Structures are given as structure tokens and as C-alpha cells.
Amino acid sequence: MKNWIIKEEWFNNQEITANENRFLCGNGYLGIRGALEEFQKEKLPAVNLSGIYDRVGDGWREPLNAPNPLYTRIKVDGEYYFLPEKEPVSHIQELDFRHGIVRRLTTFRTKRGCVTVEAEHFASMADCHLIGMRYTVTADFHADIEIHTGIDGDVWDIHGPHYDEVVIRQKDMCLVADAVTHENREHVCVAERYRTQAPHEHKTKEEERRALHRICVVTDINKPVVIEKMAAVYTTKDCNDPEKVSEKSVTDSMEAGYEELLKRHTACWERLWDTSEVEIEGDAEAEKELNYSIYHLLSIAPYHAGSQSIPARGLSGQTYKGAVFWDTEMFMLDFFLNTQPKVARTLLKYRIDTLAGAEKKAKGYGYEGAFYAWESQEGGYDACSDYNVTDVFTNRPMRTYFKDKQIHISGAVVYGLIHYVNLTGDTSILYEGGAETIVSCARFYDSRMSERVHSEVYELRDVIGPDEYHERVNNNSYTNRLALFVLREAAKLLSRSKEDKKLAEIFGEMDCEAWEGRFNEDAEKLLQKKPVKNNVIEQFDGYFQLEDTTVDTVRSRLLNEKEYWGGAYGVASDTQIIKQADVVTQLVMFPDDFSRETAWDNWGYYEPRTEHGSSLSACMYGILACICGHPNAAYPFFRKSAGADLKGGGKEWAGTVYIGGTHPAAAGGAYMTAIKGFAGITIEDGQVKAYPHLPDGWKKMRFSVFYQGERYEVVVTSDGAEIKKYEM
Ligand code: BGC
């Protein structure tokens, strides 16, 4: 029997925000930070919404947190009892990550006896607009208890407040909050209702931006008072009258009853796990961490949409502006392709539907084609600011060039699209904008290249690779290789259009033959770095000339621990110390370019020079070590990725700005390390094959993968693999 519970057995003030990430639950439409019910905005609770953003003044544009319908506090004999104000006798918080149910159990000692609060909540997987909560209070004496529960519209924002108004109306026993956004006057509506069998007196309590039921009971000794609550969230992005729809939805759900809704919710989770679970015999801890990572990916997948992607911090708040990065295509996509291919399509449709934004961005810099947003919000708007870092010494914004120079983002989009078509066999996506997207990205690289004087070589100068510490470099190896991939794929598509009428129609006026020739020529001439010194590929022109030192030495030069390592004057900028996997990522994406020995030599060179300052880094070292046949070297990197959210420990604050949250790219990276790395799953001659490299102690892995619309059941041991088509 597997252990699907994670648990904290004592209340620790220092762990509040980390636990809110750890105990996050969500359904792709919304994510609920694992805050305790009594928390107000300074403790960072959030019902974070996907795909709806707002901007106030010059602040960063960020996603919205809905009015919080879980907000609840209790009064016992006239006195409030809640954390952290009152010291508890005991406190447990837990997450059942098999079913996305968060629970807490807290006992307080009052003057006359003990009172225990027990609560559970879930973000319904069966209906993404619904949230359910059961709140139980038990006293070991005849206590005079008031339960204040309702909607807290005074929400936590990083660059808010995003609501100009929050009006909460009471309609019969239903509270409905209508919050109106600042920038576009979108309405975010939350309706809430409760039910209890306990005889009680009901009043309503209104505070600024907050409306609460006051449920007054005198308890029997040890007899629980159970409140069941349902809430519904709708916005003007979902329907014209979200107030009415949310109210109706919550009323209908109350009729169905809490137990029934919980049943529907858990049944959906079981269906998700059916294709997503990874069993690892011989390493229970790794198995738990990996499935917990998968839980996070499943909690934030946009099942409800046909065209939407996943932000870099999932649905854990407004950090990173709720924006979509290359994280999705390069780190998360594999998981969805293998387990929920429909979601993979939705993620890629988002890129297709934001092509216009990408073309506008390219034009803005004087280029052709599509230059995707580094931090993409709706419509492909690039939320990345020119000044993404604040200098700790002067407190002045520092010019960073992530948005302008990380041109590898367009390559990631194409890589994702091609990967999708190859694994699913669903070419329809090419006719729905995919083909245009690929060609447009190729046109971008074509216009972005320059020819080296007196030579035939094309270059990509003034770029930033995955390693953000070295800005504005020339010929970043990863970027050039990815651009080559894009050019070749675009040329293939153009060539196909000779036979494929639909494609020919899509390319319309374009002179396909001429462009095909041009892309092929670009591909021929674009500089590709070869292994040089000791078989190592130089990350970018001149990298080997930089000071060769250690991560610790560079760290020791910091004058302030929050100082930025990169940019113009960063401590790492003039050294070979890099933020995250760069050449190593290239070798993972294109494993057949070089021999395994070369790949391993590069691993050995770059690993000690990598700070792993991004949660995206470890998994690439893990996967490459497996590809090179060194699973035990891969193992600690795998555990680091898989434990990113469970163990926490990542950076949470930059000065006064909260930058914490969940790390779905690390979760996806852990999955890739397990499946692509340890199990060695690959496609060969149109078939799913496995070349396992299991680390010490692992006896067996069991999981499923989808390929070309069929599900395969895979069992892997160190002696080999059994791969069977799934029979219903
Ligand atoms: C990393 C990027 C990543 C972003 C969002 C940054 O720290 O350097 O590669 O896309 O975080 O996860």
C-alpha cells in the first residue's frame, strides 16, 4: 500500500509560505495555496486563477487571485482562536495527493476546555469552477462557538490591488462576491453557500471587502459541528454573467451534496492517475517524490481549455507574473505527451494562438517571423520587463536582456510542436496553425542571423542562452543548434507542401520553393559548435577565455547574499560559472549528435561549473547522465528535481518581493529523468522501446505511455523491459 499522504505534524511560523506551496491543490482553472482557513492576505493565501491578468499603474502585470471563499475563523466563549495568534496544543496539516484533498487538524486549549478544528478542502477536478470545504468544530465541553465563514475579498497581491471594487451581496443563504479588475474591468465572481445539521443561529457579518456568515452554536460535549461549504468561481472570461452563473452553480452543487461532489472529484483523480502513476519498486522515497511531482503537474493542467498553457510557477500565485516560459515545452510537455496527450495539444495551441503576439514582438525589434514572448501572458504579450532584477546595493532596477535576447524561446515552441506531432501522430495541429508557426519561427531565425565578414558562416550574435548569467554572447551553442532544428523542420514542411494541398493553401502566396532553399542554406551555414578542448563544446564564443574558477569561489565574492550573479557586473559574468544546464540541455535534446563519450565529457566539464541557480538545471544533468549510462550519477539530480516542492528550500524572497511558489518545470524534469533517463524510453522505427539504466536499489518501474494514440504498459527492470499495448 503506497503512502499518498504528506504531512506536517506541528505548526511552524517559519514554514507558512513553504507549506502553502507544499499543500497546494488545483484543477488547472484555479490553484488554492495550502493556507489555513483563518489566514488573511499578509500570510499569502490565494485562490490563483489561470489565464486572467491585470495591471495596476507601472507594476508588473500579473494573474488574479480570486476572493477567498475558504476564509473561516472561530470564536469560543467570545474569544477568537486561530493560528498563529493562539498557540495550539497540536496541529497537523496533510495532503492526500492521490486525490487532491488538503486537511488540517488543530486543537486549542481554551479557559474551559479543548476545542478542535478539523477542515478539508479540494479544488474539484470534476467541475473546475467548484471548491468544496468541510469544516468541523468539536469541543470537550459545552462551548459557546461562533464560526465565521464566508468570502474574504481583501486578497493578497504582489503588484495590486487588482480589484477597484469588491461588492459582496447576500442572496438568501448565498454570499456572492463580485470583484472588478482595474485594467479591463473584468468581473471575478465567487459564490459560496454552507450547510449544517447542527441547530444554530445565523447572522451575517460584514467587514471591509469581507462578508461572513456567523454560525452560532452551543456544542454538546465531543459532538462535532460540521459545516459543509461549496463555492463557485466564474469570471467574464468564462461567461457574460459570472455572478448569476456562480450563484446557480453553487446552489446546484449544494443540492448534489458535499459527499457526492467529493466522490466525483476523487473519481476524476483516479482516472488521471490511471495513465500517470509511476511505480518504482525498491525506492519508496523516490517513488513518493516523483508521484508528488506528478500530482503538481496534474493539478495545474488546463483541462478546461482548448488553448492555454502553464505558468512557470504553476497556479501557486503571482510570482513570475503567472507567465509561460520555455519551461512548458522543454520541461513539462513530455509528461503530458506520455500521459494526457489532450493537454499537450492544449499547451501547444496556446503557442499557435499567440503567434500574432510573437510576430509583433519580432517586428518591434526589426525582424521577420515569430519571436515568442520570454514571459508570455494572454495574446502572447511579453510580460518580461526591461529591468527584471533590482540591484541590492543601489536599489536601482538593473537592465536585463532576457526578453530581448533569449531567442531560443521560438526554438522551444517548434521543438514542442514537432515532438507533439511525432509522438501523437496528430498532424491536424499543423493545419490549425502549427505549420505557420514553425515557418514563422524559421523566418525569425533567418532574419536574426548575420553573415560573418569574408566568410560563408552565419552566426546568431548578441543572444542569451539558457544560462542567464552570461548576457549578450555570440553563438550560444544551444541556441544555434535549436535554430538549425527549426530551419530544417520548416524546410521539410515547405517541401511537403508540394504534395500536400492543404499545406500549400496555408502557405498561400509564399514562394515555398525559394524559402525551402533559403532555410536549407541557412541550416548549412549556421555555425554549429563542435567539441574542442578536451572534447568539450564551448558554450558560446570566448567562454573558454573566461576565468576558470569554482562555484564556491564565485559565491565567496558576493558582498550581499541576495546580489545578482549575472548581468553586466555580476560575480559570475566574467567567469565560466553558469546558472543552469546549457550545453548539457542541448545534448539532452539532441542526444544523437555526438557520441556518449563526448556527451559524458561535457557533463563532467560543465557540472562543477554550474551553480544550479534555477530549478530547471538538475534534471538535465540527470537525464544526460542516464543517456551516458551513469544512472547512479544521475540519481542525486533526479532527487533534487523530484524534491523541489516537497522539500522546498528554493529562494522564497527577493528583498521584500515574494518569489516562491511551486516548480512545475522541475516536476516535469523529474518525470523526464525517470522515464527518458532511468527507464530509457525512446521511439525507434515507429515503436516504443526502452533501454533501462536503473540506479542502485531500483528493482522495477511500471508506468504507461501514449504513442500514436495507443496506450502502452511498460514494465522495466535492469535486465530489460516489457512493453505491451494496453487492453481495456
Ligand atoms: C530560469 C529560466 C526559467 C525561469 C522560469 C529562470 O530563473 O533561468 O530558464 O525559464 O526561471 O522558471
Side-chain angles (χ1 to χ4, degrees):
M1 168 80 179
K2 262 190 219 112
N3 178 358
W4 291 91
I5 302 287
I6 63 156
K7 213 182 222 176
E8 285 283 311
E9 305 230 26
W10 189 245
F11 181 73
N12 179 351
N13 234 332
Q14 306 306 315
E15 287 289 305
I16 288 179
T17 51
N19 278 343
E20 288 175 358
N21 297 318
R22 214 168 270 146
F23 295 106
L24 183 114
C25 67
N27 55 25
Y29 175 82
L30 52 85
I32 306 175
R33 288 175 63 76
L36 299 177
E37 294 72 21
E38 55 266 50
F39 287 171
Q40 294 181 359
K41 67 177 182 187
E42 69 286 351
K43 297 275 182 304
L44 321 189
V47 176
N48 186 244
L49 301 179
S50 71
I52 181 164
Y53 300 85
D54 184 70
R55 182 174 195 173
V56 182
D58 291 337
W60 288 350
R61 206 156 169 274
E62 56 194 17
L64 296 172
N65 291 331
N68 176 13
L70 297 176
Y71 179 72
T72 308
R73 285 184 175 187
I74 58 160
K75 252 181 172 178
V76 183
D77 296 339
E79 201 177 329
Y80 278 112
Y81 281 85
F82 59 83
L83 291 170
E85 268 70 3
K86 286 274 195 291
E87 175 92 5
V89 178
S90 63
H91 174 75
I92 296 174
Q93 191 174 11
E94 69 172 37
L95 166 73
D96 165 357
F97 66 92
R98 176 88 189 177
H99 300 124
I101 304 170
V102 183
R103 303 194 180 93
R104 64 88 63 92
L105 180 68
T106 312
T107 299
F108 297 102
R109 181 163 291 119
T110 75
K111 287 177 194 115
R112 294 199 296 137
C114 282
V115 173
T116 298
V117 170
E118 198 178 344
E120 71 173 26
H121 69 255
F122 61 92
S124 173
M125 227 7 134
D127 176 343
C128 67
H129 297 279
L130 288 182
I131 298 171
M133 168 168 116
R134 180 157 44 202
Y135 195 90
T136 307
V137 186
T138 316
D140 61 5
F141 62 106
H142 290 290
D144 227 327
I145 292 187
E146 282 186 26
I147 302 171
H148 298 178
T149 188
I151 303 177
D152 185 2
D154 190 14
V155 298
W156 164 53
D157 281 319
I158 298 181
H159 295 279
H162 291 293
Y163 300 125
D164 283 353
E165 306 147 47
V166 181
V167 178
I168 308 182
R169 299 185 186 94
Q170 187 181 343
K171 300 184 176 175
D172 304 324
M173 290 299 281
C174 185
L175 294 175
V176 189
D178 177 13
V180 187
T181 65
H182 180 77
E183 194 182 14
N184 296 324
R185 299 202 63 77
E186 299 280 0
H187 290 252
V188 176
C189 296
V190 181
E192 174 264 18
R193 244 173 203 280
Y194 78 92
R195 170 186 291 161
T196 179
Q197 302 300 336
H200 67 284
E201 195 191 329
H202 173 265
K203 293 175 191 155
T204 318
K205 184 170 170 335
E206 289 199 21
E207 298 170 7
E208 176 76 21
R209 292 194 167 205
R210 197 173 288 134
L212 307 170
H213 306 285
R214 252 174 76 196
I215 303 165
C216 310
V217 258
V218 178
T219 57
D220 282 339
I221 295 175
N222 293 331
K223 183 153 183 243
V225 176
V226 183
I227 311 280
E228 289 173 349
K229 259 178 69 143
M230 293 306 300
V233 183
Y234 282 85
T235 76
T236 28
K237 293 250 179 230
D238 306 314
C239 55
N240 291 333
D241 193 347
E243 191 170 340
K244 214 157 145 195
V245 177
S246 59
E247 192 193 334
K248 177 166 181 345
S249 160
V250 90
T251 305
D252 292 350
S253 67
M254 258 304 164
E255 246 159 59
Y258 181 87
E259 274 307 323
E260 172 59 25
L261 293 165
L262 186 61
K263 215 158 87 195
R264 291 181 200 165
H265 165 75
T266 49
C268 287
W269 267 105
E270 284 299 330
R271 275 200 294 281
L272 291 173
W273 283 116
D274 179 44
T275 56
S276 309
E277 185 179 351
V278 179
E279 291 178 63
I280 303 171
E281 235 179 81
D283 193 343
E285 259 184 54
E287 181 183 63
K288 188 172 183 180
E289 281 177 5
L290 177 59
N291 284 292
Y292 175 75
S293 297
I294 292 173
Y295 161 76
H296 274 285
L297 291 165
L298 292 173
S299 301
I300 54 177
Y303 311 99
H304 61 285
S307 163
Q308 191 151 318
S309 195
I310 300 177
R313 286 286 176 271
L315 297 175
S316 63
Q318 293 163 327
T319 307
Y320 280 43
K321 305 155 194 153
V324 178
F325 292 63
W326 69 313
D327 303 32
T328 309
E329 285 77 15
M330 294 314 222
F331 296 81
M332 301 179 215
L333 190 67
D334 260 60
F335 167 74
F336 292 111
L337 280 170
N338 283 353
T339 65
Q340 322 283 334
K342 240 177 99 186
V343 172
R345 193 176 209 281
T346 300
L347 301 176
L348 292 162
K349 274 293 274 172
Y350 167 82
R351 293 302 194 176
I352 291 173
D353 293 346
T354 52
L355 177 63
E359 290 181 339
K360 194 167 155 206
K361 177 173 168 184
K363 214 171 183 174
Y365 287 100
Y367 299 114
E368 309 271 309
F371 180 9
Y372 273 87
W374 179 241
E375 300 184 10
S376 183
Q377 294 180 341
E378 81 269 56
Y381 169 82
D382 201 331
C384 187
S385 83
D386 289 347
Y387 301 90
N388 245 21
V389 177
T390 302
D391 180 48
V392 286
F393 302 111
T394 59
N395 220 14
R396 287 200 179 120
M398 277 166 78
R399 181 67 165 103
T400 45
Y401 291 87
F402 309 144
K403 171 171 88 180
D404 322 70
K405 308 293 176 191
Q406 281 202 70
I407 63 168
H408 64 85
I409 178 67
S410 292
V413 171
V414 175
Y415 189 87
L417 274 165
I418 298 295
H419 205 38
Y420 172 82
V421 172
N422 289 345
L423 285 190
T424 60
D426 171 18
T427 49
S428 70
I429 200 162
L430 295 174
Y431 305 111
E432 291 171 31
E436 269 165 289
T437 303
I438 294 167
V439 169
S440 193
C441 289
R443 286 187 70 158
F444 168 63
Y445 287 122
D446 169 79
S447 72
R448 182 62 170 72
M449 284 174 202
S450 49
E451 190 169 1
R452 194 180 277 178
V453 214
H454 309 306
S455 100
E456 289 275 277
V457 174
Y458 288 1
E459 302 183 293
L460 284 169
R461 301 177 70 84
D462 198 9
V463 303
I464 303 180
D467 159 33
E468 291 180 337
Y469 287 165
H470 295 90
E471 298 197 0
R472 313 196 68 166
V473 300
N474 297 332
N475 297 312
N476 166 257
S477 182
Y478 169 85
T479 307
N480 285 24
R481 179 62 184 90
L482 204 54
L484 172 70
F485 170 81
V486 173
L487 292 162
R488 282 195 182 139
E489 291 300 329
K492 271 196 249 166
L493 266 180
L494 291 169
S495 164
R496 241 175 75 187
S497 73
K498 286 176 209 146
E499 286 102 53
D500 187 328
K501 279 213 180 84
K502 267 203 276 175
L503 270 186
E505 239 169 71
I506 287 168
F507 295 133
E509 303 287 278
M510 198 172 171
D511 182 343
C512 291
E513 217 172 302
W515 276 104
E516 184 194 335
R518 182 160 172 156
F519 290 157
N520 278 329
E521 190 190 334
D522 289 346
E524 277 294 295
K525 292 187 176 166
L526 179 61
L527 186 143
Q528 297 299 320
K529 296 222 172 256
K530 300 273 174 304
V532 281
K533 195 176 106 180
N534 300 325
N535 225 9
V536 180
I537 298 165
E538 189 176 40
Q539 189 175 294
F540 52 82
D541 292 354
Y543 170 82
F544 287 142
Q545 266 89 63
L546 299 177
E547 184 195 357
D548 194 12
T549 179
T550 65
V551 175
D552 285 343
T553 309
V554 166
R555 189 176 286 114
S556 73
R557 292 174 185 163
L558 292 172
L559 299 176
N560 180 314
E561 61 170 324
K562 291 196 180 124
E563 195 180 327
Y564 183 55
W565 287 38
Y569 308 111
V571 283
S573 307
D574 293 329
T575 75
Q576 291 189 34
I577 300 308
I578 63 175
K579 179 179 180 186
Q580 65 201 88
D582 195 307
V583 168
V584 164
T585 305
Q586 176 190 339
L587 296 172
V588 167
M589 300 303 166
F590 304 100
D592 298 328
D593 281 1
F594 301 105
S595 70
R596 301 293 181 254
E597 291 72 39
T598 300
W600 188 236
D601 285 342
N602 277 274
W603 193 101
Y605 187 83
Y606 282 108
E607 202 292 314
R609 291 167 177 80
T610 307
E611 187 225 353
H612 298 295
S614 158
S615 63
L616 276 55
S617 190
C619 62
M620 289 297 156
Y621 281 92
I623 303 169
L624 192 64
C626 289
I627 292 176
C628 298
H630 300 284
N632 291 331
Y635 188 75
F637 294 97
F638 163 72
R639 290 296 296 271
K640 193 170 173 190
S641 299
D645 289 324
L646 190 57
K647 297 191 191 117
K651 293 178 204 156
E652 279 217 57
W653 296 90
T656 53
V657 179
Y658 180 68
I659 57 156
T662 56
H663 302 81
Y671 176 85
M672 278 201 282
T673 315
I675 305 304
K676 212 175 168 138
F678 297 134
I681 291 291
T682 183
I683 304 300
E684 243 176 47
D685 308 325
Q687 285 192 327
V688 183
K689 291 267 168 66
Y691 295 98
H693 295 287
L694 299 188
D696 288 349
W698 286 30
K699 295 198 182 76
K700 201 183 261 180
M701 290 177 74
R702 193 179 289 117
F703 52 89
S704 339
V705 293
F706 279 94
Y707 176 61
Q708 305 271 332
E710 301 274 3
R711 177 174 164 186
Y712 293 85
E713 302 267 88
V714 185
V715 179
V716 166
T717 62
S718 31
D719 300 330
E722 202 186 297
I723 303 175
K724 277 198 308 221
K725 237 186 221 172
Y726 175 75
E727 310 281 350
M728 282 287 278

